[in-house]
């Protein structure tokens, strides 16, 4: 058997066994957690019964996707300093969530972003708009995760054949659907908590291990990484990746802005704030998330440079999966097949947990906003119908994710994630901030900022070099790009804020009374949804 | 049994308008906005400064300070420090200055509605 197809020295059987163990253990937890899932609040928001620390850990589990774990460590190993910039954007972004969004959102909504907008606006149009952008962001993010799963399969299990990879992606998809159907938000949350604990513990152990080799001296590690890469400090200085031209520098600025403003608009992050009983617990959630995510990114800095020093940038670039193989190769170099198996299983678990979180968010948004409030005009006969619709939607989304993952497995994962962040920062964040803080904001403004932001972002992406015109584009045979940047954030975010303002002032609708109620509720938590009492 | 939907009868619009114009609520809103708005401007400006420096000031960021550790790495790590610091400051501020007023207003509203 030729193991060199996957990571050399790895044992696919061992990798699969450790992953299977994770799946079995989490399924047991999910089944146990599902016993009390009865109402919509149980299904969507886990009865609002998680504590801040639990929810914070789950947020970290939801947020630290395969792109952050494998992608950032790999980017640091290959491009050095420029890879580090991603982690900083992803972390600082949490201050937007902490200071401006988390608590106020928890106090005014029930399950979805649409709830917050619908509070003082015309229900049906704004819910339809909120659901559209939620589904768009979830879809791009979901595709990115599933495409990553395909790459991981060839990397870690040594499965090169298309059919074999498709089978593994389908299995991952079916397990994920089971989590969501059986466990609802509670089961999904526990999967995320377990995964976050494994991921952070594994990264911590490897970090100590790497630093131990260099006498716990970061400077020594950096020196060794730089020497191995050619000794000219290129790995330590900024500019290796984005300093090539004026356009790539502008592109980096655009990416930086989309990263810092996108997080607080990601629907699966927003929905997590509804799983705690009070705004104060939502605040504690974010604090825990910031600490865990921050520590994790510090670990990836060491892991990235560790991989560059111990494995070598060249070896990583030439391995199957290229950059994404940095962390697995480092694990193999440090702890042999067992550590590699553990890291491989954690990487799969990561994809599974993130995809489950996205699926439940997208299905909640469809069932709660579109089905119950737009189609049925808020007159659903019983809450169980809504949950049944959510479960059916979850199956459909799961099927779409499986097919999409199989089709998109050769796509650039980072591009898809950046797209999701750009849409979240453009369509969602301006709308949420205006809705929470601007008295004059109204239905028309919300529609303009959501649909306008969504349209501008997608148009700019379609006509960007990410889609056509370069060797690395999605479509290599044609060139119809006219927008120079890979990431549209620099243009689309200001345009969306502007459209939200313009749409508002062009409409005569004033919603003073409802705004007063909303502001009192959002700041004090009066009348907010309580935890269920079983 | 599970009671997941709100069981309270929500206060009418007059109650909300009344609370909204009360001195207590105005103070709460002022305190919240006085903290979060300037702090948001501050951390976004500091983050943008860092991104622009890393993007355009390569020479400066590549200056070595101690061993192989350069200014770029130190600035990057300082972003982590400032994020943790702002988080800690906000939690302390919210616990001391926001929560007591918010709790009192909420109890008044919910107590009065029952």
């Amino acid at each position: 058997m030729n193991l060199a197809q996957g990571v050399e020295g790895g044992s696919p059987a061992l990798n699969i066994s450790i992953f299977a163990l994770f799946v079995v253990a989490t399924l047991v937890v999910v089944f146990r957690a599902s016993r009390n899932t009865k109402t919509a609040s149980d299904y969507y928001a886990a009865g609002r019964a998680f504590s801040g620390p639990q929810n914070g850990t789950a947020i970290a589990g939801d947020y630290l996707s395969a792109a952050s774990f494998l992608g950032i460590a790999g980017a640091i190993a290959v491009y050095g300093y420029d890879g580090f910039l991603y982690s900083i954007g992803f972390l600082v972004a949490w201050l937007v969530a902490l200071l401006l969004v988390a608590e106020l959102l928890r106090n005014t909504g029930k399950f979805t972003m649409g709830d917050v907008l619908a509070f003082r606006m015309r229900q049906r149009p704004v819910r339809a708009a909120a659901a559209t952008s939620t589904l768009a962001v979830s879809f791009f993010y979901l595709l990115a995760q599933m495409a990553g799963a395909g790459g991981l399969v060839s990397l870690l299990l040594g499965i090169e054949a298309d059919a074999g990879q498709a089978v593994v992606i389908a299995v991952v998809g079916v397990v994920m659907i089971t989590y969501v159907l059986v466990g609802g938000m509670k089961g999904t949350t526990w999967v995320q908590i377990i995964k976050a604990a494994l991921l952070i513990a594994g990264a911590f152990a490897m970090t100590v291990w790497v630093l131990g080799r260099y006498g716990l001296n970061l400077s020594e590690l950096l020196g060794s990484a730089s020497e191995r890469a050619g000794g000219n400090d290129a790995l330590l200085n900024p500019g290796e990746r984005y300093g090539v031209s004026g356009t790539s520098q502008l592109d980096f600025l655009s990416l930086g802005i989309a990263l810092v403003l996108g997080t607080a608009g990601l629907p699966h992050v927003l929905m997590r704030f509804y799983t705690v009983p009070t705004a104060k617990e939502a605040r504690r959630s974010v604090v825990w998330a910031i600490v865990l995510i921050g520590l994790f990114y510090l670990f990836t800095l060491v892991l990235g440079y560790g991989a560059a020093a111990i494995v070598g940038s060249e070896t990583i670039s030439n391995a199957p999966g290229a950059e994404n193989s940095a962390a697995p190769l480092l694990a193999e170099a440090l702890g042999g097949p067992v550590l590699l198996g553990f890291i491989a299983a954690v990487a799969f678990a990561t994809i599974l947990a993130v995809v489950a979180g996205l699926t439940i968010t997208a299905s909640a948004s469809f069932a709660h906003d579109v089905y119950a409030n737009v189609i049925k005009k808020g007159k659903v006969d019983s809450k169980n119908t809504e949950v049944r619709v959510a479960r059916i939607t979850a199956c459909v989304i799961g099927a779409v994710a499986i097919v999409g993952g199989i089709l998109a497995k050769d796509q650039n994962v980072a591009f898809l994630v950046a797209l999701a962040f750009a849409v979240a920062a453009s369509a969602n964040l301006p709308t949420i901030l205006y809705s929470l803080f601007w008295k004059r904001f109204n239905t028309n403004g919300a529609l303009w900022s959501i649909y306008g932001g969504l349209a501008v972002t997608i148009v700019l992406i379609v006509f960007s070099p990410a889609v056509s015109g370069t060797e690395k584009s999605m479509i290599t045979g044609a060139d119809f790009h006219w927008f120079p940047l890979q990431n549209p954030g620099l243009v689309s975010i200001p345009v969306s804020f502007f459209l939200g303002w313009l749409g508002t002032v062009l409409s005569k609708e004033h919603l003073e009374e409802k705004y007063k109620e909303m502001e009192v509720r959002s700041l004090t938590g009066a009348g907010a949804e309580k935890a269920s009492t079983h | 049994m599970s009671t997941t939907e709100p069981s309270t009868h929500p206060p009418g619009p007059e109650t909300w308008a009344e609370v909204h114009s009360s001195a207590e609520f105005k103070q709460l809103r002022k305190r919240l906005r006085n903290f979060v708005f300037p702090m948001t401007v501050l951390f976004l400006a500091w983050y943008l400064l860092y991104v622009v420096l890393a993007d355009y000031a390569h020479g400066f960021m590549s200056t070595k300070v101690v061993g192989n550790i350069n200014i770029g790495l130190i600035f990057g790590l300082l972003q982590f420090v400032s994020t943790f610091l702002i988080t800690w400051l906000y939690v302390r501020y919210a616990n001391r200055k926001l929560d007591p007023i918010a709790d009192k207003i909420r109890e008044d509203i919910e107590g009065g509605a029952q």
Side-chain angles (χ1 to χ4, degrees):
Chain A
M1 197 173 159
N2 183 10
L3 295 181
Q5 283 174 341
V7 173
E8 204 161 330
S11 153
L14 184 67
N15 296 352
I16 293 175
S17 315
I18 299 177
F19 178 58
L21 199 68
F22 171 84
V23 170
V24 172
T26 45
L27 278 178
V28 171
V29 172
V30 167
F31 273 100
R32 288 179 61 91
S34 71
R35 282 180 305 193
N36 279 326
T37 298
K38 294 187 192 78
T39 64
S41 168
D42 291 335
Y43 184 75
Y44 296 137
R48 310 187 197 285
F50 277 106
S51 71
Q54 284 172 331
N55 188 40
T57 313
I59 289 175
D62 220 343
Y63 194 65
L64 298 172
S65 65
S68 350
F69 173 43
L70 303 177
I72 292 179
I76 293 173
V78 174
Y79 300 106
Y81 190 84
D82 281 10
F84 183 43
L85 296 161
Y86 275 93
S87 12
I88 291 169
F90 281 137
L91 176 69
V92 174
W94 279 97
L95 288 178
V96 181
L98 175 73
L99 297 180
L100 300 177
V101 177
E103 296 171 45
L104 306 181
L105 185 91
R106 171 62 190 83
N107 278 338
T108 37
K110 279 168 84 175
F111 307 125
T112 65
M113 183 179 96
D115 287 336
V116 176
L117 303 182
F119 198 99
R120 62 184 170 116
M121 294 172 196
R122 280 182 283 126
Q123 293 254 353
R124 296 178 69 196
V126 293
R127 280 191 188 274
T132 306
S133 74
T134 297
L135 290 173
V137 177
S138 306
F139 177 71
F140 293 131
Y141 216 103
L142 205 58
L143 264 194
Q145 299 300 321
M146 294 305 275
L152 268 184
V153 174
S154 60
L155 172 67
L156 301 171
L157 305 182
I159 300 172
E160 288 281 308
D162 281 349
Q165 294 192 6
V167 169
V168 179
I169 291 178
V171 170
V172 168
V174 169
V175 173
M176 177 279 287
I177 294 172
T178 314
Y179 286 154
V180 173
L181 284 187
V182 175
M185 186 50 117
K186 201 189 244 178
T188 307
T189 305
W190 278 112
V191 172
Q192 282 158 348
I193 291 175
I194 295 169
K195 174 233 136 171
L198 288 175
L199 179 63
I200 293 168
F204 174 68
M206 281 173 68
T207 301
V208 173
W209 204 325
V210 168
L211 280 177
R213 283 207 177 183
Y214 295 92
L216 298 180
N217 184 337
L218 184 64
S219 170
E220 199 122 314
L221 167 66
L222 296 178
S224 170
S226 173
E227 204 168 300
R228 179 130 189 197
N232 57 1
D233 283 357
L235 220 47
L236 306 184
N237 299 338
E240 176 78 353
R241 183 173 192 173
Y242 290 101
V244 194
S245 67
T247 313
S248 71
Q249 284 176 315
L250 215 54
D251 219 343
F252 177 73
L253 194 61
S254 187
L255 177 71
I257 292 171
L259 293 184
V260 82
L261 297 178
T263 299
L266 289 175
H268 63 296
V269 165
L270 297 177
M271 193 166 170
R272 291 233 54 93
F273 298 133
Y274 296 125
T275 65
V276 290
T278 60
K280 193 165 176 159
E281 290 299 311
R283 182 192 308 151
R284 286 179 75 202
S285 310
V286 185
V287 172
W288 272 76
I290 287 177
V291 170
L292 291 173
I293 292 167
L295 286 176
F296 181 80
Y297 285 143
L298 291 174
F299 298 157
T300 54
L301 178 69
V302 174
L303 296 183
Y305 279 118
I310 294 169
V311 183
S313 306
E314 193 120 334
T315 319
I316 294 167
S317 298
N318 294 330
E323 285 165 58
N324 286 338
S325 65
L329 285 172
L330 176 66
E332 206 258 318
L334 289 173
V338 176
L339 189 58
L340 172 61
F342 177 75
I343 292 300
V346 168
F348 270 105
T350 291
I351 290 183
L352 208 54
V354 174
V355 171
L358 286 163
T359 303
I360 197 160
T361 306
S363 67
S365 176
F366 182 82
H368 183 65
D369 289 328
V370 179
Y371 175 78
N373 287 298
V374 177
I375 299 176
K376 292 283 174 182
K377 301 178 188 175
K379 292 176 194 124
V380 184
D381 23 354
S382 82
K383 282 285 163 187
N384 293 334
T385 323
E386 193 182 314
V387 173
R388 201 173 68 234
V389 172
R391 288 197 157 115
I392 295 168
T393 316
C395 289
V396 173
I397 293 167
V400 170
I402 292 171
V403 174
I406 291 168
L407 294 178
K409 77 182 163 54
D410 296 324
Q411 291 303 327
N412 180 341
V413 175
F415 153 66
L416 291 168
V417 170
L419 182 59
F421 268 80
V423 175
S426 312
N428 292 355
L429 189 72
T431 319
I432 294 170
L433 291 184
Y434 279 146
S435 179
L436 290 173
F437 293 102
W438 188 25
K439 187 163 59 178
R440 177 74 170 82
F441 196 49
N442 55 29
T443 311
N444 203 42
L447 298 180
W448 280 43
S449 60
I450 292 183
Y451 288 126
L454 193 61
V456 169
T457 312
I458 289 178
V459 166
L460 291 182
I461 293 263
V462 167
F463 295 103
S464 77
V467 171
S468 75
T470 71
E471 283 170 22
K472 286 184 176 172
S473 300
M474 218 163 105
I475 302 163
T476 42
D479 182 2
F480 47 85
H481 88 279
W482 47 259
F483 184 68
L485 305 180
Q486 303 258 352
N487 194 297
L490 195 59
V491 175
S492 67
I493 298 169
V495 166
S496 308
F497 273 104
F498 173 74
L499 286 176
W501 170 81
L502 188 67
T504 303
V505 297
L506 287 180
S507 160
K508 288 199 184 72
E509 189 183 32
H510 277 269
L511 307 139
E512 289 272 340
E513 286 309 305
K514 275 307 244 183
Y515 181 69
K516 284 181 182 167
E517 176 179 348
M518 180 169 173
E519 200 172 36
V520 172
R521 279 174 180 252
S522 69
L523 264 60
T524 63
E529 298 278 315
K530 305 290 190 290
S532 67
T533 50
H534 32 196
Chain B
M1 257 323 279
S2 101
T3 49
T4 47
E5 297 309 309
S7 52
T8 49
H9 298 285
E14 319 79 46
T15 319
W16 297 116
E18 196 181 303
V19 175
H20 193 264
S21 54
S22 70
E24 246 175 352
F25 181 76
K26 282 182 177 154
Q27 190 189 20
L28 173 66
R29 184 176 58 183
K30 195 166 161 228
R31 282 187 180 179
L32 176 80
R33 294 189 169 204
N34 281 350
F35 187 93
V36 298
F37 289 163
M39 202 53 108
T40 303
V41 171
L42 188 73
F43 84 76
L44 281 181
W46 162 228
Y47 171 77
L48 279 180
L49 173 73
Y50 168 75
V51 170
V52 168
L53 283 176
D55 208 10
Y56 293 99
H58 293 163
F60 169 71
M61 294 294 261
S62 304
T63 316
K64 286 196 177 170
V65 180
V66 185
N68 291 306
I69 294 171
N70 56 27
I71 292 185
L73 187 66
I74 292 175
F75 270 36
L77 294 175
L78 281 178
Q79 290 282 338
F80 282 74
V81 174
S82 61
T83 302
F84 291 146
L85 184 70
I86 291 171
T87 304
W88 178 71
L89 285 174
Y90 171 69
V91 169
R92 203 177 61 145
Y93 184 83
N95 285 340
R96 290 183 184 175
K97 303 276 183 185
L98 305 179
D99 286 353
I101 308 183
D103 290 346
K104 184 173 178 303
I105 298 176
R106 185 177 63 243
E107 275 157 27
D108 286 351
I109 295 173
E110 292 186 344
Q114 273 159 17

